Amino acid sequence: MQNIVPLKCPKCNNTHLFYKYGKDKDGYQKYLCRKCYHQFAPDKPSPKKTSKYPRCPVCGKSSFLHHDYEYYSNYRCSDKKCNHSFFVPKVTAIPSTSISKLSGKTNFKRIRYPVHIILSALSMFFLGKNSFRNIALILKTVFNVKVSHTTISNWCKKFAPLFHNISLELIPMLNLNSDEWHVDETVVKIAGKKYYLWFVIDSETRFILGFHLSPYRDSRQAFALLNSVRNLGTPSAIVTDRYSAYKVPVKSLFGDSVKHIRVESFKDDITNNLIESFHHQFKAWYNTKQGFASFESANNLIYMFVFFYNFVRPHSSLNGLTPAQVAGLCLSPKEKKKYLLVA
Ligand SMILES: [Zn+2]
Ligand SMILES: [Zn+2]
């Protein structure tokens, strides 16, 4: 592009004595000032002077960094009258949930049994309270298929990555924008040690949006949990107990437009029954196993339980629908088979 504005040296303001002086690395014509020997490329666009700090979401004015933390930055509006304080999450610094640690198979390759036998066993385990021995007995009597109880135990764990991939395909079909997302924790034992199972449940559909299994109960875990669900939809409010670890993660990940309701205890909350119903079913299933043997198996088994809870189990309180169906999942019989929701 030719410069149509008359040349002027930015250093000495000389307007008529120049040499053309080749091109710069971006291909712009360079000039050499014959008065002061300054080199310059007048057509080169000057680097945009955008502030690296975000604009105030209330008044749109610039902000300054008030305090920088591990998982978020606290900015303040530079307008003295507004003085709004807001948090911006550092999403790449936030650790991922235990779901990122699922291990096992993503297909049925080299499995000697037909898929419908495996799905039957999984349903008996995750929808009912059957022991692995019990399931082996039923498969033998009903299908005349001989499977050892240890094989069934392995099936219940090792396909978690396969079902996770299915869930990643199905979740975009759901509408999870809702009044309230409830966050809660419950305690499970792994090899005799106490672990926290954190989860987020959508109040309207009862869909479990995410979970996180950790030996710790602190704000780092709440960051991981809430960061894993923030792109699944927009609730009007996030409901948690009064536990302070939730405060900063909710504010920085969901902003000021999502209300944070902190209830004294879920016992006081009218919508508590939805948390209770998940707890109840989870505990009924969990209590049959006297804890988990290892973190890896606990994480895989809980993932599978949640998948069956979301996509397979009909809920009497949802008129016999699954949470996924209430959230709008509508699949043909053929698709249901493809996504392993029916055998
Ligand atoms: Zn000059
Ligand atoms: Zn402001």
Side-chain angles (χ1 to χ4, degrees):
M1 227 173 40
Q2 273 306 317
N3 190 19
I4 44 165
V5 184
L7 277 175
K8 186 169 143 187
C9 170
K11 264 237 169 108
C12 71
N13 292 330
N14 150 39
T15 54
H16 58 278
L17 295 163
F18 302 103
Y19 290 124
K20 278 197 173 178
Y21 205 65
K23 303 260 169 89
D24 78 354
K25 62 176 171 34
D26 299 319
Y28 292 101
Q29 182 63 57
K30 272 169 68 179
Y31 295 90
L32 177 70
C33 173
R34 283 165 65 185
K35 264 185 152 170
C36 76
Y37 303 101
H38 177 64
Q39 299 171 26
F40 60 103
D43 294 333
K44 193 185 180 72
S46 55
K48 273 210 184 88
K49 278 192 189 121
T50 45
S51 165
K52 61 185 171 123
Y53 298 150
R55 302 236 148 227
C56 168
V58 172
C59 70
K61 297 218 174 83
S62 64
S63 69
F64 63 92
L65 185 62
H66 181 62
H67 226 295
D68 205 28
Y69 298 91
E70 194 177 4
Y71 301 138
Y72 70 103
S73 307
N74 179 195
Y75 294 97
R76 276 271 164 86
C77 181
S78 54
D79 184 305
K80 281 277 174 299
K81 269 187 217 144
C82 174
N83 201 31
H84 180 60
S85 156
F86 59 101
F87 295 176
V88 174
K90 299 177 177 174
V91 287
T92 51
I94 297 171
S96 40
T97 63
S98 63
I99 293 177
S100 67
K101 298 187 184 121
L102 294 176
S103 60
K105 288 182 71 76
T106 52
N107 55 54
F108 289 119
K109 273 181 203 153
R110 290 198 297 275
I111 301 290
R112 292 186 295 124
Y113 294 90
V115 171
H116 78 271
I117 292 294
I118 298 169
L119 291 181
S120 303
L122 296 183
S123 302
M124 280 186 256
F125 187 71
F126 291 108
L127 300 183
K129 297 170 205 165
N130 291 285
S131 67
F132 300 127
R133 282 173 200 280
N134 219 344
I135 296 167
L137 178 73
I138 297 169
L139 292 181
K140 180 79 188 68
T141 51
V142 180
F143 299 106
N144 195 25
V145 174
K146 212 173 161 222
V147 195
S148 77
H149 66 90
T150 45
T151 298
I152 294 169
S153 161
N154 288 335
W155 287 349
C156 291
K157 288 167 220 152
K158 74 173 168 199
F159 296 112
L162 168 65
F163 284 91
H164 182 46
N165 287 347
I166 292 172
S167 153
L168 290 177
E169 279 192 60
L170 295 176
I171 283 178
M173 302 180 198
L174 309 180
N175 178 359
L176 297 163
N177 296 314
S178 169
D179 272 358
E180 291 173 357
W181 287 359
H182 290 239
V183 186
D184 202 10
E185 319 103 57
T186 186
V187 169
V188 296
K189 284 270 174 74
I190 301 175
K193 207 178 156 220
K194 196 168 153 181
Y195 275 71
Y196 295 94
L197 174 60
W198 304 67
F199 56 90
V200 187
I201 180 166
D202 171 37
S203 66
E204 282 176 29
T205 61
R206 304 196 172 202
F207 194 88
I208 305 294
L209 298 145
F211 77 83
H212 178 45
L213 184 63
S214 163
Y216 307 108
R217 187 174 189 254
D218 54 30
S219 122
R220 170 188 282 252
Q221 318 308 320
F223 260 111
L225 177 75
L226 290 166
N227 190 39
S228 75
V229 300
R230 64 197 284 260
N231 293 323
L232 300 183
T234 310
S236 310
I238 304 256
V239 183
T240 70
D241 60 23
R242 293 222 158 255
Y243 182 45
S244 61
Y246 290 120
K247 213 173 160 182
V248 167
V250 170
K251 184 175 155 100
S252 48
L253 288 163
F254 290 87
D256 296 309
S257 55
V258 175
K259 218 161 77 180
H260 183 188
I261 301 171
R262 297 167 76 201
V263 292
E264 205 51 69
S265 140
F266 280 118
K267 307 255 170 340
D268 307 334
D269 186 13
I270 310 159
T271 54
N272 169 49
N273 57 5
L274 72 105
I275 287 277
E276 278 300 301
S277 98
F278 173 73
H279 268 191
H280 182 77
Q281 289 186 14
F282 178 77
K283 285 285 172 179
W285 172 76
Y286 170 76
N287 287 338
T288 60
K289 41 187 104 311
Q290 286 137 14
F292 298 103
S294 69
F295 174 85
E296 197 182 48
S297 71
N299 195 40
N300 273 29
L301 284 167
I302 293 167
Y303 187 88
M304 292 296 288
F305 179 87
V306 168
F307 183 93
F308 273 76
Y309 183 92
N310 280 340
F311 291 102
V312 183
R313 180 193 291 273
H315 291 243
S316 55
S317 55
L318 299 173
N319 288 321
L321 298 175
T322 65
Q325 284 173 319
V326 177
L329 187 68
C330 186
L331 299 174
S332 68
K334 212 175 161 184
E335 289 171 313
K336 280 187 186 167
K337 235 182 144 84
K338 175 188 159 198
Y339 293 117
L340 305 178
L341 303 182
V342 293

